[in-house]
Amino acid sequence: MTTLITGGSGMVGKALQQELPEGVFLSSKECDLRNYDQTLETFKKNKPTQVIHLAAKVGGIMANQNQLGDFYRENILINTNVLEASRQCKVSKVVSLLSTCIYPNDCTYPLTENQLHLGEPHPSNYAYAFAKRMLDVQSRAYRDQFGCNFITVVPNNLFGEHDNFHYQDSHVIPAMIRKIHEANATGNDVVMWGTGSPLREFTYSQDLAKILVFLLRTYDEPEPINIGNTEEISIRYLAEKLAEILNFEGRIIWDDLKPDGQYRKPSDNSKLLSLGWKPESYMNFDEALAKTCDWFLKTYPNVRGVK
Ligand code: NDP
């Protein structure tokens, strides 16, 4: 068995390196997956029997909004090339990652897999969202026409070591870690957006890596499967917990003139639990946060998005 991991140098890829040390981990330096010839050549060279497809152009709200065309084109090319090369090279199974942020803007909570295509995604990231939805379409079309065992999985917000800590381009956890750490160094207070009351779900990258390996064995169905930790955490709790972990001595000021966004966005992971994954198999949130901060403190400023 040879498992090839695209996006092997990213946050989830680094977490998978610990779960599947024998895997072949690709970065964009070895192969630009937007280029089909390079992709096919890399697949022929490595002869994978299974593929975990993580590579994507990923970014926060600002990057998504400002580069809608790039997010669409690059993700469509990467996904189309990876699935076609997998088919040509007779890969027995492909696991591809979608995201809960591609669900329709106007859908019923909790998010269930059957709602994925039932409406427009949020306008801020519609290009990324539609490109990811086509990954589901292509996986199912290849299954129906060619008998390929290509599955798609849907994580929610991810965090962990090797995340992107860029101020404009990062997600909420890395952005808060950096903000609090840098305010600590200068003795300033920190200002957070909104009231802090919204609830969000977060999954630790190391848990996600374990789930991907678990699904290689247990899931072969055409329908996408939600795989995130569904414990809801308030943004205020998150900020206060990070302040505690990082020994922050300043004040956290909530700028309630800034929008809160939607109050909750819960997802339903009952399909994953029905396969035997246990809710307690997700690492305790505070512990996962502490591990992430520990890594950040040891690595800063040599972290992605800072240097
Ligand atoms: P990262 O941004 O950390 O990593 C992206 C990876 O994709 C890197 O290894 C990068 O390579 C590779 N890549 C990007 N463009 C190309 C290209 N043209 N050719 C080859 N490789 C390329 O992403 P994450 O680890 O956070 O995300 C992994 C997956 O999970 C993605 O599919 C993402 O959509 C999904 N996801 C992520 C969430 C999150 O909160 N982060 C939430 C839900 C889903 P290089 O290092 O060389 O640039």
Side-chain angles (χ1 to χ4, degrees):
M1 282 288 227
T2 301
T3 308
L4 182 80
I5 296 96
T6 71
S9 52
M11 175 177 67
V12 180
K14 295 272 189 195
L16 252 180
Q17 289 181 17
Q18 295 180 43
E19 301 301 318
L20 274 179
E22 69 284 10
V24 176
F25 290 83
L26 290 182
S27 74
S28 63
K29 290 186 192 70
E30 282 97 46
C31 172
D32 183 347
L33 297 166
R34 294 171 300 184
N35 177 307
Y36 182 64
D37 293 340
Q38 274 189 43
T39 306
L40 187 60
E41 194 183 316
T42 304
F43 272 62
K44 282 184 171 165
K45 191 176 96 194
N46 288 290
K47 301 186 177 52
T49 46
Q50 40 189 20
V51 169
I52 300 182
H53 173 38
L54 307 174
K57 183 173 171 64
V58 179
I61 297 175
M62 289 276 273
N64 262 282
Q65 263 176 345
N66 295 337
Q67 303 170 50
L68 287 161
D70 290 338
F71 271 80
Y72 182 79
R73 179 173 175 277
E74 294 192 25
N75 283 311
I76 284 284
L77 286 173
I78 291 171
N79 297 336
T80 307
N81 292 342
V82 167
L83 293 197
E84 176 60 8
S86 298
R87 178 179 86 83
Q88 289 292 347
C89 295
K90 303 197 171 16
V91 171
S92 65
K93 182 161 182 175
V94 178
V95 180
S96 297
L97 270 72
L98 310 179
S99 168
T100 51
C101 74
I102 72 170
Y103 272 103
N105 193 24
D106 181 19
C107 71
T108 310
Y109 290 100
L111 300 168
T112 47
E113 294 88 348
N114 60 343
Q115 300 186 74
L116 192 68
H117 297 279
L118 300 184
E120 288 276 327
H122 194 274
S124 64
N125 74 338
Y126 74 88
Y128 171 83
F130 275 120
K132 281 281 191 190
R133 287 188 194 181
M134 290 309 110
L135 187 49
D136 169 53
V137 171
Q138 191 180 352
S139 298
R140 280 190 284 134
Y142 275 33
R143 176 182 292 266
D144 288 338
Q145 185 178 351
F146 306 115
C148 299
N149 184 14
F150 292 178
I151 69 164
T152 55
V153 306
V154 194
N156 47 23
N157 301 298
L158 303 175
F159 70 101
E161 296 84 349
H162 305 279
D163 206 341
N164 180 2
F165 291 84
H166 192 278
Y167 266 135
Q168 265 100 52
D169 217 9
S170 60
H171 295 112
V172 60
I173 292 185
M176 276 191 181
I177 292 176
R178 180 174 175 187
K179 216 175 189 176
I180 292 173
H181 176 67
E182 290 182 352
N184 233 357
T186 53
N188 288 334
D189 295 332
V190 289
V191 180
M192 303 291 188
W193 277 36
T195 63
S197 59
L199 302 175
R200 292 291 180 268
E201 300 173 342
F202 298 100
T203 303
Y204 182 41
S205 55
Q206 208 60 52
D207 290 337
L208 181 71
K210 291 191 169 78
I211 293 168
L212 294 175
V213 174
F214 171 75
L215 292 174
L216 276 177
R217 284 189 285 111
T218 54
Y219 192 71
D220 292 320
E221 302 302 320
E223 298 82 24
I225 176 169
N226 289 337
I227 57 173
N229 185 346
T230 55
E231 182 188 3
E232 291 184 294
I233 305 287
S234 82
I235 297 298
R236 182 177 291 269
Y237 177 87
L238 170 63
E240 288 172 357
K241 183 49 71 179
L242 286 174
E244 183 190 317
I245 296 170
L246 295 166
N247 297 317
F248 180 55
E249 290 175 354
R251 288 178 310 151
I252 298 174
I253 297 160
W254 293 96
D255 178 0
D256 57 13
L257 294 175
K258 295 284 192 316
D260 260 344
Q262 197 149 330
Y263 177 56
R264 297 176 65 203
K265 296 179 174 183
S267 63
D268 176 342
N269 66 355
S270 53
K271 206 196 281 194
L272 176 71
L273 300 185
S274 75
L275 296 174
W277 180 263
K278 302 267 181 292
E280 58 273 21
S281 304
Y282 293 107
M283 189 182 288
N284 170 277
F285 179 70
D286 293 358
E287 196 182 332
L289 212 51
K291 282 169 86 73
T292 305
C293 289
D294 187 46
W295 175 86
F296 176 83
L297 292 175
K298 283 185 184 136
T299 318
Y300 183 90
N302 299 312
V303 296
R304 184 150 55 119
V306 175
K307 265 205 171 165

